[in-house]
Every structure is written in structure tokens, then in C-alpha cells.
Amino acid sequence: MPFSICYGRGGRGAHPTFCCTFIALCLCLHALAIQDRTQRSWDALYQLKYRVITQKSPPLLVVKNIFIAGSITIKKLDPAVQARINNMIDSGLTVLLGDANGVDSAVQAYLHARQYQQVRVYCSGERPRYNLGAWSIAPVETTFRAGSREYFTAKDIAMAQAADYGFMIWDQTSTGTLSNVLELLAQGKKSVISLAQQHAFLTVASVADCEKFLSFMDAEAIAKANQKINLSQKIHALRAKQEPLF
């Protein structure tokens, strides 16, 4: 603070009243400056807090129904897969299952052994081929020829529509499991894939994730998938749907 102004030339002091008034004025201006900076800081903090409070959070994913499916070549569940299913049981989820051999029947046997009742078995036609726990059934009407690929795919599409999430147990070659993953993704739903050969899990939530799990397929399996379910075309369509235009 410039107190030197209170002293004249030759060390003679200025008028005391002037000095006191000047000092008081400087103190007031200093206090006002501090108050202004403090107020601006509080205003900025309030605005930040307001933006944080009013900012919309993404909706939480509530999983109630989980679609479990997989390859018919898999007859036995890996312990890590059983642990995942145990988590579903502990969470009280409703398990949507098909009526085929392989993973469908293996999961049915496991849930039946656990005496779990929140299971719904889907079938194309009137009656399921497998329903070990005598659970509730969901018959799916279809006009496709009985026994054809399209006939059995109808129940898979119905399960994907009713599910909130998917859990696929895959031998890394079967096309039916691939179709289920792509159908869920087309509906904006995630799935977890159990990779049988790697004893690992992969979450699929985007087309980029699809390309990851395709890396676990050999060229012959991919060619077979392109022939049976038009795999490359479906992935291309999903990519066009997910990528922004601009």
C-alpha cells in the first residue's frame, strides 16, 4: 500500500487527516476487490454445481430377463460358465432358454439340478423338445417349414426380443450363436460370449466388438457363416446403423 504519499519533501509529513482518509480509502478498495473476487468464485462454483446436478445421467440398465443360448456341440458347462449362471440365480433373473440339444439342454440340466424355477423355455411350434424342469413355456408361431433353420430361428428371435441381455456359450464356429449375438446387437442389447476354446469371456456391445470375436474364427468357419447367415452383410448393415452420417 502506498503510504509514502503521506510524507512530503524533506521528511515533512502531510496533513494527518488526509493520510488517515487516504489509508481508509485504500483499505476499503482492497476489501471491495477481495469481496468481488470471492463473489465471482462462489458464482462460478454455483454454476458448476448446478450443471452437475441438472446434467442428465444415462439410464441405468435394468436386467430382468437373460437369454442363454449356445452351440449344440457343447454338452458340458465349464466351471466359469456355471459361476456366471450362479450369479444370475443369486440375482433372481428370469432365464430364457431354447429347447435344443447342446447348450440348451446342458443349461436346463444345471438349472434343474439347482432347483431354479425362474426359467421360461421357448420353442417353435406347440411343444418343446426339452423341458427338464417342467418350466413355463413360450410357444412361438411360425409359418416356416417345420424342421428348417428358419423354423427354429423364430424362437431365437422371440427370445432376443424378450431379453434384456444375452449370454452365449460358443464353440467359435456355430452360426446359430452368431445370429443370436447379431440379433441382440441390432436391438441395442449387449451380450457376453463364453469362448469355449480360450476359456474366456467377451462382451459384445458394438460392431467393433463383433470384429473382435470374429478374430477367434478360422477362415473356413467365417466362409460357412457367410454362406449360412450372410455374416458379412449383417455386420456391414449394423456398422452403417451405428456409425454417424457426418
Side-chain angles (χ1 to χ4, degrees):
M1 188 176 294
F3 291 106
S4 58
I5 184 175
C6 293
Y7 296 92
R9 294 180 179 178
R12 291 178 298 173
H15 195 281
T17 303
F18 173 78
C19 290
C20 291
T21 302
F22 181 79
I23 293 172
L25 178 61
C26 290
L27 290 173
C28 288
L29 291 174
H30 186 63
L32 287 172
I34 294 176
Q35 182 180 4
D36 181 64
R37 287 197 299 269
T38 304
Q39 185 61 43
R40 281 183 292 175
S41 298
W42 277 110
D43 290 343
L45 181 62
Y46 175 78
Q47 292 174 5
L48 177 61
K49 181 180 179 182
Y50 180 77
R51 285 198 298 269
V52 171
I53 291 175
T54 57
Q55 185 178 9
K56 292 183 178 180
S57 299
L60 294 176
L61 175 63
V62 178
V63 178
K64 295 181 180 179
N65 302 320
I66 187 156
F67 172 20
I68 302 181
S71 309
I72 61 174
T73 59
I74 298 176
K75 311 293 185 182
K76 185 178 179 181
L77 301 180
D78 187 87
V81 170
Q82 294 180 5
R84 294 274 179 138
I85 296 176
N86 289 340
N87 291 337
M88 300 172 198
I89 293 173
D90 294 339
S91 299
L93 302 183
T94 297
V95 177
L96 311 182
L97 273 174
D99 63 339
N101 199 358
V103 166
D104 285 354
S105 58
V107 174
Q108 283 196 26
Y110 186 77
L111 293 173
H112 182 52
R114 289 290 311 271
Q115 299 181 339
Y116 193 59
Q117 295 302 314
Q118 287 183 231
V119 180
R120 190 180 309 135
V121 177
Y122 281 68
C123 60
S124 295
E126 297 180 356
R127 292 177 297 181
R129 293 165 291 178
Y130 293 95
N131 186 2
L132 299 179
W135 297 292
S136 63
I137 65 172
V140 177
E141 294 184 4
T142 175
T143 58
F144 290 107
R145 179 176 58 82
S148 65
R149 171 179 291 274
E150 294 81 4
Y151 177 82
F152 291 118
T153 299
K155 65 174 174 52
D156 294 330
I157 294 175
M159 282 188 281
Q161 292 172 342
D164 302 305
Y165 211 96
F167 182 50
M168 302 293 134
I169 306 166
W170 188 41
D171 63 2
Q172 298 171 217
T173 59
S174 66
T175 55
T177 308
L178 286 176
S179 292
N180 292 334
V181 173
L182 296 177
E183 181 64 34
L184 286 163
L185 191 58
Q187 297 183 32
K189 300 173 182 179
K190 299 179 182 180
S191 58
V192 171
I193 301 179
S194 169
L195 302 170
Q197 298 176 23
Q198 275 71 28
H199 299 283
F201 295 93
L202 177 66
T203 300
V204 178
S206 66
V207 175
D209 295 328
C210 285
E211 294 169 348
K212 289 180 184 177
F213 76 72
L214 290 180
S215 66
F216 293 100
M217 300 176 68
D218 57 31
E220 182 179 353
I222 292 177
K224 181 180 177 182
N226 282 325
Q227 181 182 5
K228 284 190 171 183
I229 64 171
N230 297 320
L231 177 62
S232 296
Q233 292 182 16
K234 288 184 177 181
I235 291 179
H236 179 74
L238 284 171
R239 184 182 294 108
K241 181 179 178 181
Q242 289 189 348
E243 290 180 350
L245 294 177
F246 304 99

